[in-house]
Amino acid sequence: MERSPSSPAFWRSPLRGPWFTSLLGVVLLAGITVLFVTGLLSYAAYNPDLSPVNDKTPDKGVLGFYLFPWPTDPPWLYRLTQGVHVTLGIALVPVLLAKLWSVVPRLFQLPPARSVAHALERLSLLLLVGGVLFEFVTGVLNIQLAYVFPGSFYPLHFYGAWVFFAAFAVHVVLRAPTALRNLRRMRTGDEEGAAPPVSAEEPSLVSPSPDEPTVSRRGAVWLVGGGSLLLLGTTAGQNFDGPVRRTALLAPHGGADPGSGPNGFQINKTAAARGISAAETSEEAWRLVVTGPSGTVRLSRAELAELPLHSAALPIACVEGWSTSDQWWRGVRLRDLAALVGHEPETAPDVLVESLQRHGAFRRAALRANQVRDPRSLLALDVNGERLSPDHGHPARIIVPAAPGVLNTKWVARMTFGEL
Ligand SMILES: Nc1nc2c(c(=O)[nH]1)N[C@H]1C(S)=C(S)[C@@H](COP(=O)(O)O)O[C@H]1N2
Ligand SMILES: [Mo]
């Protein structure tokens, strides 16, 4: 029995080999590319460049090169991109773990570096493995609501993504041709046609002294794929209303039961959790303060309800990967509020929206001009024909088509047009 993990004979599983590793690698190549693209889109959707309001990352610098005004069409855009980002990320966990397991003997390879090129490749593997674990762990922690990070989730996950993806790109350039050739040449269990390792010095993944198999290669693929399907099936439901949402066993948010009726849809943070009292939202106490070039106006909820009211069917789609189907919101157009304080509705500028909330995240958010000008963007007073419930943001909340949930500020107290 070989004791040292640096010896190939230490690793006994008959499953390890180029075919298994190549198959998992190609699945990850496709999956992680989609995660990277939808992740960058999610960051753009968050309006981080309306700094420093939405984003506390001062030096995103060149990495922000691609940011663009997130569109308001189609209204389900963020529901789709973020639903895919989170659901796919979760479903890929078994594939990732199996892939890392399949190459773990390489981690112990001795000597650690045989040449400068070999040393560089191993260094990139450190960033690759460290990066992928960091991205998956921070992502899963964020959607499980465990904000345990020093600072904010966004810059960590964003910078981590770039470091990881750079190493991933190097890895793909070096390995993808071999992996694709292996898959083309080989059938399950037949390592004969395997392409030679990338470098002649590299030890094979096939154990020189394998144990008796307890599961076939095909069985192992079914196990990994079945694990992914199980995670998919217990996550995807969080993007749909009604009984389907109850299939989302892995989704958090067990705490706030939204109940039934017009306000009976997913709640993120309740009024109580955000310290919003009935006294400060009463008709007597609450005033909306709107500021623009012509000055400041103060409006009670009753006065707002006398302005032209419009309806729009829009979903809420959270960065955590859950979403609701369309709800019917009714309220005052954001561009009409801009017009109250001296802007033309068609050329209304960015707006800073601030909540009554005094502590915690998402007290305020900036919306871009294209979002303000969209006729479906509302300061909503009602939903599905009823007054907003306290938990959904009574007396008034923002709702913008295609925007991430975090921009839909609840319990709005103040809106400042321009001057961001
Ligand atoms: N003031 C305030 N507004 C807020 C939040 C918050 O915590 N405080 N949460 C935001 C987030 S992250 C989401 S996803 C939506 C959820 O809206 P809902 O609870 O009505 O479904 O509200 C947004 N508006
Ligand atoms: Mo959210």
Side-chain angles (χ1 to χ4, degrees), residues 50-132:
L50 298 187
S51 200
V53 176
N54 291 12
D55 192 7
K56 285 129 212 114
T57 327
D59 296 320
K60 65 193 134 335
V62 291
L63 297 183
F65 73 92
Y66 76 94
L67 296 177
F68 58 97
W70 185 249
T72 53
D73 267 303
W76 41 261
L77 183 60
Y78 192 75
R79 208 180 159 200
L80 177 73
T81 62
Q82 195 61 8
V84 167
H85 185 73
V86 170
T87 311
L88 181 62
I90 290 174
L92 283 178
V93 167
V95 183
L96 176 68
L97 294 178
K99 173 70 162 66
L100 293 175
W101 173 85
S102 80
V103 294
V104 81
R106 294 259 163 91
L107 192 68
F108 296 93
Q109 191 181 312
L110 285 176
R114 294 189 177 83
S115 64
V116 176
H118 186 229
L120 284 177
E121 204 217 330
R122 292 205 84 191
L123 195 70
S124 84
L125 289 179
L126 206 69
L127 293 178
L128 182 77
V129 175
V132 80

Side-chain angles (χ1 to χ4, degrees), residues 342-420:
H343 290 287
E344 288 297 323
E346 291 76 29
T347 57
D350 303 346
V351 65
L352 171 61
V353 181
E354 294 169 281
S355 167
L356 281 176
Q357 187 188 323
R358 280 163 301 271
H359 307 286
F362 316 139
R363 298 197 286 285
R364 48 186 214 155
L367 302 172
R368 203 186 298 277
N370 68 316
Q371 295 172 318
V372 172
R373 292 171 194 169
D374 192 297
R376 297 161 298 176
S377 296
L378 302 174
L379 181 69
L381 306 176
D382 303 322
V383 66
N384 301 323
E386 195 178 80
R387 207 183 80 162
L388 286 175
S389 70
D391 290 337
H392 283 305
H394 172 78
R397 77 159 316 154
I398 299 289
I399 185 81
V400 170
V406 289
L407 298 184
N408 294 323
T409 306
K410 305 197 275 193
W411 317 292
V412 172
R414 185 182 290 273
M415 299 175 69
T416 310
F417 288 91
E419 301 169 49
L420 284 193

Side-chain angles (χ1 to χ4, degrees), residues 149-366:
F149 318 107
S152 164
F153 164 77
Y154 295 90
L156 288 174
H157 202 63
F158 178 72
Y159 290 132
W162 279 103
V163 172
F164 162 65
F165 204 74
F168 185 69
V170 170
H171 186 69
V172 167
V173 168
L174 292 175
R175 301 288 169 150
T178 315
L180 290 170
R181 220 171 328 130
N182 283 342
L183 287 184
R184 227 174 294 125
R185 282 201 207 161
M186 286 189 289
R187 318 194 60 127
T188 317
D190 171 21
E191 303 287 0
E192 299 299 293
V198 170
S199 74
E201 320 158 309
E202 192 169 78
S204 166
L205 286 167
V206 179
S207 173
S209 50
D211 286 336
E212 279 301 304
T214 52
V215 55
S216 69
R217 283 234 165 78
R218 213 174 270 284
V221 170
W222 277 109
L223 209 65
V224 175
S228 285
L229 283 178
L230 193 68
L231 288 173
L232 186 75
T234 48
T235 304
Q238 65 176 331
N239 286 291
F240 304 93
D241 289 341
V244 184
R245 191 176 296 275
R246 269 180 255 131
T247 63
L249 303 175
L250 289 184
H253 296 285
D257 179 7
S260 56
N263 275 282
F265 58 95
Q266 187 84 347
I267 296 162
N268 189 334
K269 291 285 186 287
T270 61
R274 288 312 201 191
I276 308 292
S277 70
E280 61 189 334
T281 54
S282 69
E283 186 61 37
E284 300 72 47
W286 183 82
R287 294 292 177 273
L288 175 73
V289 180
V290 188
T291 304
S294 68
T296 294
V297 298
R298 286 187 163 69
L299 297 157
S300 68
R301 192 178 180 283
E303 288 165 330
L304 275 170
E306 274 160 27
L307 296 174
L309 297 181
H310 298 271
S311 294
L314 299 171
I316 296 231
C318 182
V319 64
E320 291 159 10
W322 59 263
S323 56
T324 71
S325 35
D326 288 352
Q327 313 295 327
W328 275 99
W329 306 92
R330 187 169 150 86
V332 183
R333 284 180 173 158
L334 299 187
R335 64 184 196 186
D336 289 351
L337 291 169
L340 279 185
V341 291
H343 290 287
E344 288 297 323
E346 291 76 29
T347 57
D350 303 346
V351 65
L352 171 61
V353 181
E354 294 169 281
S355 167
L356 281 176
Q357 187 188 323
R358 280 163 301 271
H359 307 286
F362 316 139
R363 298 197 286 285
R364 48 186 214 155

